[in-house]
Amino acid sequence: LLYIARYYQAILSVLFEAKRKDFVEMLVHHVVTVTVIYISYVYGWNRVGVVIMVIFDPADVPLHVAKLCKYIAEATKGRWWQFVADRLFEVFAIVFLLTRFVLFGYVCWSAHIEATEYFPKGLAEWTCVGLLYTLFALQIYWFFLILKVALKLLRGHAAEDPRSDDEDEAPKATKKNQ
């Protein structure tokens, strides 16, 4: 129940924060996650719900610590903090690939294919499977955004969030001031 509360809060955050390029995807992600949690709780599929929680959460840790290091680097102009942020982003990318691409992909396949061998699927089961595949499609989308940042890192640039509109707004503001 705490997990569903966390995602209700995330829905509100997405609605009230500055809009990013992936606003719709984030909103869909949070709404679908709340729905999957609700369905798994109501129908007693707690194991599946817990497995998904365990799979999704590990990638968040290096991501948030990398963001923290990046903010410190920007505030202090410290190159070391930027270096740490970039390495943590690399850890995040690997953890994301393994957990949200490989392991979660298996969970989706298992819920769709393997589960059919053990019990028939009704509306709730097929709804849950469809929602899991929706989440998986979003993970694929975000993984491609991660790859864009990883390619920048390989070219020697600092990791920048491609979802942020800040880069698009900065040149416009500069042109207006000239």
Side-chain angles (χ1 to χ4, degrees):
L1 292 178
L2 289 175
Y3 210 73
I4 201 167
R6 173 184 161 210
Y7 276 94
Y8 273 122
Q9 176 274 328
I11 291 170
L12 293 175
S13 292
V14 167
L15 291 173
F16 292 117
E17 289 177 353
K19 306 295 186 256
R20 294 182 178 266
K21 291 178 183 173
D22 69 342
F23 167 77
V24 172
E25 291 85 353
M26 284 298 283
L27 189 60
V28 168
H29 164 72
H30 294 311
V31 170
V32 167
T33 301
V34 165
T35 308
V36 167
I37 294 167
Y38 176 77
I39 290 172
S40 68
Y41 181 75
V42 168
Y43 286 90
W45 303 328
N46 297 328
R47 287 186 226 164
V48 174
V50 169
V51 165
I52 293 168
M53 287 184 246
V54 168
I55 287 173
F56 271 45
D57 284 350
D60 291 344
V61 175
L63 175 65
H64 292 301
V65 176
K67 285 181 180 182
L68 178 65
C69 291
K70 183 167 178 50
Y71 297 147
I72 293 171
E74 289 172 357
T76 64
K77 307 293 184 220
R79 292 176 57 203
W80 187 81
W81 287 108
Q82 184 62 51
F83 175 81
V84 172
D86 292 345
R87 299 302 73 81
L88 284 168
F89 179 81
E90 292 165 357
V91 170
F92 159 72
I94 293 167
V95 173
F96 189 98
L97 173 69
L98 294 175
T99 58
R100 296 191 185 191
F101 216 73
V102 176
L103 294 178
F104 186 63
Y106 173 75
V107 168
C108 292
W109 175 83
S110 179
H112 182 193
I113 305 299
E114 285 183 330
T116 305
E117 296 176 20
Y118 300 104
F119 62 90
K121 287 192 173 72
L123 179 62
E125 291 85 359
W126 283 115
T127 300
C128 202
V129 167
L131 292 171
L132 291 176
Y133 277 121
T134 301
L135 286 175
F136 190 60
L138 289 168
Q139 303 312 308
I140 292 169
Y141 167 74
W142 283 316
F143 186 68
F144 282 108
L145 292 180
I146 292 167
L147 286 178
K148 282 176 68 173
V149 174
L151 289 173
K152 280 181 129 177
L153 281 174
L154 287 174
R155 292 183 189 126
H157 302 288
E160 296 293 331
D161 190 348
R163 305 170 309 143
S164 177
D165 288 334
D166 295 343
E167 296 87 11
D168 295 342
E169 292 172 6
K172 292 176 190 172
T174 308
K175 288 178 185 175
K176 288 179 185 175
N177 294 336
Q178 293 176 347

